[in-house]
Every structure is written in C-alpha cells, then in structure tokens.
Amino acid sequence: MLTALCVSLGAQAPGVPAATRTRVDAIAAEITPALIATRRDLHQHPELGFRETRTAGIVADRLRALKFDEVRTGVGITGVVGILKGGRPGKVVAIRADMDALPIQEAIAAAYKSLVPNVNHSCGHDGHTAILLGVADVLSRLRAEIPGTVMLLFQPAEEGDPDGGKTGALRVLEANGLANPKPDVIFGLHLDPQIEVGQIGVRSGPAMASASRFTLKVIGKKTHGAMPHTGIDPIPIAAQIVSAFQTIPARQIDAQQPTVLTIGRMSGGNRYNVIADMVEMEGTVRTFSADGPETVKTKMEAILKGVTASYGASYELNYFTNAPVTFNDPGLSTASIAALKTVFGEKVLTPQLQMVSEDFSYYQQQMPGFYFFVGVKNQARGITAMWHTEYYEMDEAALAIGVRALANVALDFLSR
Ligand code: NI
C-alpha cells in the first residue's frame, strides 16, 4: 500500500534562511569543478549492480574525509550510508543516489569515455553519485546550523541484479539500511535527458510507473500438422490471448489511469508440419496506481482461464512486480516544490508522467518521499540521447543544479 502519510505544513513554516540558501549556492559554485571531475572519474570506471566496489570505496573515503559521524559500508551488498548529525536537534532526512551502470557499450567520443568494455553509465548514475557527494560536502560545511540529522544513501543495483535477484532498494531495506535513525522522509532525483539543462521537473502524487514483468506459457497438445483436431494447437489460442490482452488497457481500465501491457517476446512450435505443444511469451506491465499491477494480473488471468478453457488448453503465468509506482507524498511534494521554486523560480516545471520505473518507490512505501528530475538535455550542443542508449550524455552544468536542489529540499524539510 502506498503511504497516505502526509507531512504537516506549518502555515508559517520558516523555511531555509536566505543566507543559508546563498551559502549553498556559493559552495555549489565553488565545488563545480570537483563535481565534474568526480562524475568523469566514475564515468570512466563504471560498475554493474552489486559490483560497485570501487565506486563505494570512493564514496566512503569521501564521507570520512568530510567527517561524517558514521559511514556504513556493505549496506545491501555494496551500498554506503553516511550519517551527518547537525548542530541542532531535529528530524531525520534521507537522500538517496544510485551508483550502478548498465551493460551497454558506450558510443560517444568523450575524453572521459568508459574504460570498461560493454559497461557504461547510460542512465547517468555517475552524475547522481557525484551530486550526492556534492550534497555531502555542502551539508558538512553547514553542519553547525542544521536542525536534525542527514542520512545519505548510496544505493547499489537500481537497474536490478545482473544475476536476476532482487533490486538494490530491496536489498538495502532488507539489510535495515534506512534505520538507526529511521528517516522521517526521503529525497532523490534523476538526471533527465528530456528536460533542458537549467530546468527541474516535479510532480506530486504518481511520477513514474510501476513495472511488472511476466512470462506466460500456453500449453496445448502436439500432433501431426495435417490432423490438428487430434491435438490442441496453442498457436491460434496464443494469438487470441495477445489480442484479448490489449482490451485490458484499452477497454477494461479507466482511460485516465495510464496502463501499458506489452508482449515483448513470443515463440512456439517445432516444425512446419507439427502442431506445437507450447507457446511462450514474456512482457511488461506499467501502471500508475498502487493496485495497478495486481488489477492487470487479475484481468490477464481471467482472459487466460476463459480462452484456454474454451479449447482445452492450459497455461502457466509467472508475474512479478520489479518496482511499484513512484508516488510522491502530496504534503511533502507541495512543500518541496515551493522550496525549489524559491531557488529556481520558473525553471521548475511539471513534466509528463514517466512510463519508466524507479526502485526508489520501495522507500516511498516505508516513508514519505519526493523524487524529481533535473534536466541534462542541451539541444544546442546536441545532448539529446535517451537513457539506456549508447549515446547517453549529460550537460554537466546539471551537477551543481542537482546539488543545490537536493540540499535545499533537505534543509527545507529540516527547517520546518
Ligand atoms: Ni536510472
């Protein structure tokens, strides 16, 4: 269930003092060359999920050098958690960055190109890690005036376990990684090649889709291709199932609840003159509601039961959800968006819902969270490639913007 907990907003919430905001901006400007250098170093040495040992080592060393009160390593296999206690008592805020790269061969010609064949930061998590290290720098310098505690989480394997196991957020939660002290809220961001650099994308409520994955077997009975009536042919049955599935998003779910049901692979049969014994399919389901994944699964099962029973066939459905919907707590979103607008003015925009998913959503099931987008696109410089492509690149001016944004929403929460 999505948390319905809202963060209360004092009507006369004090917010971050203007002098503090100015200092955050000044420090972010000062450390911009270091942010870029860190990002480029991580970019040259990308690591797949649960293998981020070099990255985690750099993160832990940096947090220790910044005199964090505690630095925990090996959290959720390769994650790092840093605890910074402010000079004044208060609440606990968590900020998360993901550290993993993708199994993609980079195709851009930058001087800081990935040195690892077939591994690349094609989702920009090198930037996320550099930004959170920048936030660590900023907040450690402001420590004396921070009312509360800051927990920085450097998470492994957001893109999933390369060996097919659980995603990084689940591993972190299973390892009790977001505890001692338990955060009151959590923040995170994604660099976004759909948004022009300088701009920030924010949404209250659903922001990114849930992602479920399924495999399906339609089981018939093999026989001679000339005598189909003596067997059960799963191929026309599978064809009916594929068509009927499309009535789920198109005709069975409210058109105002965006839903995608994709069959990405389908195969079956043995030979041109043999009736197949089985057809296999796999696909993905995307929704924007807490119960969306189960609702779609129930409707898929109804179709599968009805269609296969009509022909004496059977089926096996294996359906699991990789990530629930990324749901931004409305109260926390309202306050955080206001804080961002104080700093970035009309550069704060509302982007479309993202059909892609984020395992940050698991944290939002445990505590109110706010996840937003920082533009890295630069049309004039030709930086437009999408996430997960071999051409993905970022305008690095986004790094300092990310630092300012995360530091401000965190300080704003603690100041309320
Ligand atoms: Ni990503």
Side-chain angles (χ1 to χ4, degrees), residues 236-259:
I237 300 170
Q240 290 190 21
I241 288 168
V242 171
S243 297
F245 273 0
Q246 294 315 311
T247 68
I248 297 173
R251 285 296 175 267
Q252 299 191 54
I253 288 177
D254 186 339
Q256 299 195 59
Q257 293 287 330
T259 304

Side-chain angles (χ1 to χ4, degrees), residues 16-290:
V16 183
T20 305
R21 289 201 305 270
T22 305
R23 282 190 64 199
V24 169
D25 286 352
I27 300 168
E30 179 197 324
I31 66 173
T32 293
L35 287 173
I36 293 172
T38 300
R39 181 257 158 172
R40 291 184 178 189
D41 176 61
L42 297 174
H43 191 84
Q44 282 194 293
H45 303 94
E47 296 169 304
L48 295 177
F50 299 129
R51 291 152 179 78
E52 309 94 333
T53 49
R54 180 184 183 275
T55 309
I58 289 169
V59 167
D61 286 348
R62 199 72 63 86
L63 298 181
R64 288 188 195 105
L66 292 169
K67 304 273 190 287
F68 267 56
D69 295 282
E70 249 186 276
V71 179
R72 302 170 188 156
T73 58
V75 179
I77 304 178
T78 43
V80 181
V81 169
I83 308 281
L84 183 76
K85 291 179 185 147
R88 291 155 50 199
K91 293 185 219 170
V92 181
V93 61
I95 315 176
R96 171 272 210 172
D98 39 13
M99 303 189 289
D100 57 321
L102 284 158
I104 292 173
Q105 175 64 46
E106 185 171 27
I108 60 162
Y112 49 88
K113 191 172 157 67
S114 168
L115 298 175
V116 185
N118 301 314
V119 183
N120 187 45
H121 272 295
S122 291
C123 203
H125 300 183
D126 49 346
H128 301 171
T129 302
I131 287 170
L132 197 54
L133 285 173
V135 171
D137 198 344
V138 169
L139 296 182
S140 68
R141 296 198 212 183
L142 299 175
R143 176 201 287 257
E145 61 196 80
I146 293 177
T149 299
V150 179
M151 175 184 278
L152 302 186
L153 166 62
F154 295 81
Q155 183 207 299
E158 192 282 324
E159 303 286 357
D161 181 351
D163 299 325
K166 288 174 184 164
T167 179
L170 282 177
R171 293 285 186 193
V172 167
L173 289 171
E174 279 177 4
N176 220 12
L178 279 185
N180 306 314
K182 182 174 173 16
D184 293 291
V185 297
I186 186 164
F187 293 105
L189 62 72
H190 210 297
L191 297 170
D192 191 335
Q194 301 162 104
I195 299 175
E196 197 65 27
V197 67
Q199 298 177 339
I200 294 180
V202 294
R203 291 191 73 99
S204 177
M208 299 177 84
S210 69
S212 307
R213 176 176 181 169
F214 63 87
T215 57
L216 169 63
K217 288 179 184 169
V218 180
I219 301 156
K221 186 178 166 213
K222 189 188 278 187
T223 189
H224 195 293
M227 298 182 289
H229 66 288
T230 62
I232 298 168
D233 188 350
I235 287 182
I237 300 170
Q240 290 190 21
I241 288 168
V242 171
S243 297
F245 273 0
Q246 294 315 311
T247 68
I248 297 173
R251 285 296 175 267
Q252 299 191 54
I253 288 177
D254 186 339
Q256 299 195 59
Q257 293 287 330
T259 304
V260 170
L261 196 171
T262 291
I263 306 282
R265 189 184 68 82
M266 182 168 174
S267 66
N270 312 90
R271 195 182 139 82
Y272 83 98
N273 60 356
V274 175
I275 295 297
D277 51 356
M278 186 167 64
V279 172
E280 285 184 296
M281 299 178 225
E282 55 183 356
T284 186
V285 171
R286 307 294 167 121
T287 79
F288 285 96
S289 63

